Amino acid sequence: MRFDVLTLFPEMFESPLSHSILRRAQESEAIKVVLSNIRDFATDTYSKVDDKPYGGGPGMVMKCQPVFDCYHNVVKQDATKGRVLMMSPQGRRFDQKFARELSKEKRLILIAGRYEGFDERIRIGLEAEQVSIGDYVLTGGELAAMVIIDSVTRLLDGVLGDAESNKDESFSEALLEYPQYTRPDEYCGMRVPDVLLSGDHGKIAEWRRQQSLERTKKWRPDLLENLEKQD
Ligand code: SAM
């Protein structure tokens, strides 16, 4: 999958992309991440990418021209049509289902905002879908874009070492994952549940299912309510 990111701070992506699974995913060419600096497309003398809002009010708004020009430059780099996602607290809430949906795409074009956000004509003109990573306001869309790249990448075939890793984990079927333990079997007086040491795979599967249900009920009852609504 190809990710294009339009941002004023491409350097922010360097560290997350150069470690662990995301680094390996790029090395194996499961993903390609292309960063474009919106400021490179500013045409005025001071490379200005923002301006005062019409009608007054605090802060600055991202101007149309640098974003449009950056976008057109990105689009022509690859013939694959991309789904255009604009990072915004006003957007569709990002969750595991949305990540799964995006993992089916061949190309995602992510636009990260700054300041007070984008001139409205950018959303309209680029036919961008707005995506929010939660009901809070970040200083910029870079972290949101990284969250999307990370969570979508790990769903792509061959990216995670163990093919099972995606299957049981939290949200995979609207439940939180069961508790996990590793060696030693006792630490500071806390023992690993006997069933996990029993070698009885049927019992282990049953225990895990029960634990998943219990912790979802306790910590995220909203997930179960949503599941019931879908039935
Ligand atoms: N004034 C805007 C509003 O109230 O909708 C918020 C602007 S915010 C300070 C600057 C940029 O951060 C936004 O344009 C967006 O790209 C990004 N951003 C902030 N919160 C976000 C969130 N929850 N999800 C995704 N992107 C977010």
Side-chain angles (χ1 to χ4, degrees), residues 182-203:
T182 185
R183 285 189 283 185
D185 56 15
E186 182 167 342
Y187 184 74
C188 292
M190 295 179 281
R191 277 192 57 74
V192 172
D194 287 339
V195 62
L196 295 179
L197 308 174
S198 70
D200 183 333
H201 295 298
K203 278 214 175 91

Short mmCIF file of all heavy atoms in Angstrom, two decimals, residues 182-203:
data_model
loop_
_atom_site.label_atom_id
_atom_site.label_comp_id
_atom_site.label_asym_id
_atom_site.label_seq_id
_atom_site.Cartn_x
_atom_site.Cartn_y
_atom_site.Cartn_z
N THR A 182 3.45 -14.26 30.30
CA THR A 182 4.62 -14.99 29.81
C THR A 182 5.46 -15.41 31.01
O THR A 182 5.09 -15.14 32.17
CB THR A 182 5.42 -14.14 28.80
OG1 THR A 182 6.47 -14.95 28.28
CG2 THR A 182 6.01 -12.88 29.43
N ARG A 183 6.56 -16.09 30.79
CA ARG A 183 7.35 -16.61 31.90
C ARG A 183 7.92 -15.50 32.78
O ARG A 183 8.17 -14.40 32.25
CB ARG A 183 8.48 -17.47 31.34
CG ARG A 183 7.92 -18.81 30.88
CD ARG A 183 9.00 -19.76 30.52
NE ARG A 183 9.58 -19.43 29.21
CZ ARG A 183 10.50 -20.18 28.60
NH1 ARG A 183 10.94 -21.29 29.16
NH2 ARG A 183 10.97 -19.83 27.43
N PRO A 184 8.12 -15.71 34.08
CA PRO A 184 7.95 -16.96 34.83
C PRO A 184 6.49 -17.21 35.22
O PRO A 184 5.67 -16.29 35.13
CB PRO A 184 8.79 -16.71 36.08
CG PRO A 184 8.67 -15.23 36.31
CD PRO A 184 8.62 -14.62 34.94
N ASP A 185 6.20 -18.43 35.68
CA ASP A 185 4.80 -18.72 36.03
C ASP A 185 4.39 -18.12 37.37
O ASP A 185 3.22 -18.11 37.72
CB ASP A 185 4.45 -20.21 35.89
CG ASP A 185 5.36 -21.10 36.71
OD1 ASP A 185 6.06 -20.55 37.58
OD2 ASP A 185 5.38 -22.32 36.46
N GLU A 186 5.38 -17.62 38.12
CA GLU A 186 5.03 -16.85 39.33
C GLU A 186 5.97 -15.66 39.44
O GLU A 186 7.17 -15.78 39.23
CB GLU A 186 5.15 -17.73 40.58
CG GLU A 186 4.74 -16.95 41.82
CD GLU A 186 4.53 -17.82 43.05
OE1 GLU A 186 4.37 -19.03 42.91
OE2 GLU A 186 4.55 -17.23 44.14
N TYR A 187 5.40 -14.49 39.71
CA TYR A 187 6.22 -13.28 39.86
C TYR A 187 5.65 -12.44 40.99
O TYR A 187 4.46 -12.10 40.99
CB TYR A 187 6.22 -12.46 38.55
CG TYR A 187 7.12 -11.26 38.63
CD1 TYR A 187 8.50 -11.42 38.57
CD2 TYR A 187 6.59 -9.99 38.81
CE1 TYR A 187 9.33 -10.33 38.68
CE2 TYR A 187 7.42 -8.89 38.92
CZ TYR A 187 8.80 -9.07 38.84
OH TYR A 187 9.62 -7.98 38.95
N CYS A 188 6.53 -12.15 42.00
CA CYS A 188 6.11 -11.37 43.18
C CYS A 188 4.82 -11.93 43.78
O CYS A 188 3.91 -11.15 44.12
CB CYS A 188 5.93 -9.90 42.83
SG CYS A 188 7.44 -9.06 42.42
N GLY A 189 4.71 -13.22 43.84
CA GLY A 189 3.54 -13.85 44.45
C GLY A 189 2.33 -13.92 43.54
O GLY A 189 1.28 -14.44 43.92
N MET A 190 2.44 -13.40 42.31
CA MET A 190 1.30 -13.44 41.38
C MET A 190 1.50 -14.60 40.41
O MET A 190 2.52 -14.65 39.70
CB MET A 190 1.21 -12.11 40.59
CG MET A 190 0.90 -10.92 41.46
SD MET A 190 0.84 -9.38 40.50
CE MET A 190 2.57 -9.01 40.32
N ARG A 191 0.50 -15.52 40.41
CA ARG A 191 0.65 -16.73 39.60
C ARG A 191 -0.10 -16.62 38.27
O ARG A 191 -1.15 -15.98 38.18
CB ARG A 191 0.10 -17.95 40.37
CG ARG A 191 1.12 -18.55 41.35
CD ARG A 191 0.66 -19.90 41.86
NE ARG A 191 0.40 -20.89 40.79
CZ ARG A 191 1.34 -21.51 40.09
NH1 ARG A 191 2.62 -21.25 40.31
NH2 ARG A 191 1.00 -22.39 39.16
N VAL A 192 0.44 -17.25 37.28
CA VAL A 192 -0.26 -17.39 36.00
C VAL A 192 -1.45 -18.33 36.24
O VAL A 192 -1.28 -19.34 36.93
CB VAL A 192 0.70 -17.98 34.93
CG1 VAL A 192 -0.04 -18.31 33.65
CG2 VAL A 192 1.85 -17.03 34.66
N PRO A 193 -2.64 -18.02 35.73
CA PRO A 193 -3.78 -18.92 35.94
C PRO A 193 -3.45 -20.36 35.52
O PRO A 193 -2.85 -20.58 34.46
CB PRO A 193 -4.87 -18.31 35.05
CG PRO A 193 -4.50 -16.87 34.94
CD PRO A 193 -3.01 -16.82 34.97
N ASP A 194 -3.86 -21.32 36.37
CA ASP A 194 -3.51 -22.73 36.14
C ASP A 194 -3.91 -23.21 34.75
O ASP A 194 -3.19 -23.99 34.13
CB ASP A 194 -4.20 -23.62 37.19
CG ASP A 194 -3.51 -23.45 38.55
OD1 ASP A 194 -2.34 -23.00 38.55
OD2 ASP A 194 -4.16 -23.74 39.57
N VAL A 195 -5.06 -22.75 34.28
CA VAL A 195 -5.58 -23.25 33.01
C VAL A 195 -4.57 -23.02 31.87
O VAL A 195 -4.43 -23.86 30.96
CB VAL A 195 -6.96 -22.63 32.67
CG1 VAL A 195 -6.86 -21.12 32.51
CG2 VAL A 195 -7.57 -23.24 31.43
N LEU A 196 -3.81 -21.93 31.94
CA LEU A 196 -2.85 -21.63 30.86
C LEU A 196 -1.65 -22.56 30.89
O LEU A 196 -0.93 -22.68 29.90
CB LEU A 196 -2.39 -20.17 30.95
CG LEU A 196 -3.47 -19.11 30.73
CD1 LEU A 196 -2.88 -17.70 30.86
CD2 LEU A 196 -4.12 -19.27 29.35
N LEU A 197 -1.44 -23.21 32.05
CA LEU A 197 -0.31 -24.14 32.17
C LEU A 197 -0.76 -25.58 31.93
O LEU A 197 0.03 -26.51 31.95
CB LEU A 197 0.32 -24.03 33.57
CG LEU A 197 0.70 -22.60 34.01
CD1 LEU A 197 1.16 -22.59 35.46
CD2 LEU A 197 1.79 -22.04 33.13
N SER A 198 -2.08 -25.76 31.74
CA SER A 198 -2.65 -27.12 31.69
C SER A 198 -2.36 -27.85 30.38
O SER A 198 -2.40 -29.07 30.33
CB SER A 198 -4.17 -27.03 31.88
OG SER A 198 -4.76 -26.43 30.72
N GLY A 199 -2.10 -27.09 29.32
CA GLY A 199 -1.90 -27.73 28.01
C GLY A 199 -3.20 -28.17 27.35
O GLY A 199 -3.20 -28.72 26.26
N ASP A 200 -4.33 -27.92 28.00
CA ASP A 200 -5.65 -28.31 27.44
C ASP A 200 -6.16 -27.15 26.56
O ASP A 200 -6.69 -26.15 27.07
CB ASP A 200 -6.60 -28.59 28.61
CG ASP A 200 -7.97 -29.07 28.13
OD1 ASP A 200 -8.36 -28.72 27.00
OD2 ASP A 200 -8.62 -29.78 28.90
N HIS A 201 -5.99 -27.29 25.26
CA HIS A 201 -6.28 -26.16 24.35
C HIS A 201 -7.76 -25.77 24.33
O HIS A 201 -8.08 -24.60 24.20
CB HIS A 201 -5.76 -26.47 22.95
CG HIS A 201 -4.27 -26.58 22.92
ND1 HIS A 201 -3.44 -25.55 23.25
CD2 HIS A 201 -3.45 -27.65 22.68
CE1 HIS A 201 -2.18 -25.94 23.19
NE2 HIS A 201 -2.16 -27.23 22.84
N GLY A 202 -8.62 -26.77 24.50
CA GLY A 202 -10.06 -26.49 24.55
C GLY A 202 -10.40 -25.62 25.74
O GLY A 202 -11.09 -24.60 25.63
N LYS A 203 -9.87 -26.01 26.89
CA LYS A 203 -10.14 -25.25 28.12
C LYS A 203 -9.53 -23.85 28.04
O LYS A 203 -10.11 -22.88 28.50
CB LYS A 203 -9.53 -26.00 29.33
CG LYS A 203 -10.38 -27.11 29.87
CD LYS A 203 -10.19 -27.19 31.40
CE LYS A 203 -11.13 -28.21 32.00
NZ LYS A 203 -10.53 -29.55 32.08
#
